[in-house]
Amino acid sequence: MNANTAQRINIAIDGPAGAGKSTVARMVARDLHYIYVDTGAMYRAATLKAIEEGLSAEQQELVSQLAESMDIRLIPGTEGQKVIVDGEDVTDRLRSLEVNRLVSHIAKIERVRTRMASLQRRMALEKGVVMDGRDIGTHVLPDAELKVFLTASPRERALRRFREMGDNPGVTLDQLELEIGERDRIDREREIAPLLQAEDARLVDSTGKSAEQVADEIVHWGLASLRTISAEEK
Ligand code: DC
């Protein structure tokens, strides 16, 4: 399969926490030789910066200024994406419980979202991007040629996150399920660019499916979309 032709598309993968978006998006990007963009990591980076500066989500003006002035770079690598903030590699600090608990509150702030969406659109300008998040198909890249809304049962999503946390999760599976549910509620109910399935998105429930199965399905749709585009151009 040679998908790396002149014609490229953008693929938006949205869905709630723990649905498998980042694993699947990374596989799709690898198979199509596209660039993977984890937008959650950008909101996490802004959250980490706010924590380091001793700010709370209520200090919207200061958090907005911070998000607007910070330099965020996503560097694709074989081990996944590295996140560099103001020249410092913060990748390993983005998934702490502290960041998990604050991130959906920081992600509600309008100017934080405006800044992140503008960076994300710039990354997708030349196409060939697989971007995962909550509002990519509805808001950031409404013209993405392929949109997927990926979900899974709440228990399965909590279990996946629990396994990712290693030997010392510092939280029980039940607590994690509650926390994930709460984060989803905040993401769904926020006023600006909430977590929502785009009308033209394909709904995929990954409960009981392997990441490979889901990724294969998306690659298949991606290639079909590329074929349609090249047929239309002839
Ligand atoms: O995908 P994740 O768990 O790393 O996302 C972390 C948080 O960032 C999540 O609570 C919602 C928010 N987020 C968002 O609001 N919009 C995005 N495009 C991506 C993430």
Side-chain angles (χ1 to χ4, degrees), residues 125-154:
L125 271 181
E126 301 197 351
K127 305 252 179 197
V129 158
V130 183
M131 193 173 278
D132 85 24
R134 305 293 190 286
D135 60 340
I136 309 307
T138 50
H139 180 69
V140 177
L141 304 178
D143 297 331
E145 289 80 358
L146 174 58
K147 299 179 187 178
V148 174
F149 194 84
L150 188 59
T151 187
S153 71

Side-chain angles (χ1 to χ4, degrees), residues 190-203:
R190 73 170 168 239
E191 275 176 35
I192 313 149
L195 166 64
L196 191 73
Q197 181 182 345
E199 268 179 24
D200 50 351
R202 291 169 183 264
L203 177 65

Side-chain angles (χ1 to χ4, degrees), residues 157-205:
R157 296 193 284 119
L159 198 59
R160 289 179 189 164
R161 280 283 151 103
F162 192 70
R163 292 197 187 111
E164 274 171 20
M165 296 175 115
D167 293 339
N168 272 318
V171 65
T172 65
L173 180 59
D174 286 339
Q175 265 175 314
L176 200 62
E177 191 175 338
L178 282 177
E179 284 189 18
I180 285 184
E182 176 60 9
R183 200 137 60 84
D184 288 347
R185 188 189 63 74
I186 299 171
D187 292 343
R188 279 202 177 93
E189 292 178 0
R190 73 170 168 239
E191 275 176 35
I192 313 149
L195 166 64
L196 191 73
Q197 181 182 345
E199 268 179 24
D200 50 351
R202 291 169 183 264
L203 177 65
V204 178
D205 186 337

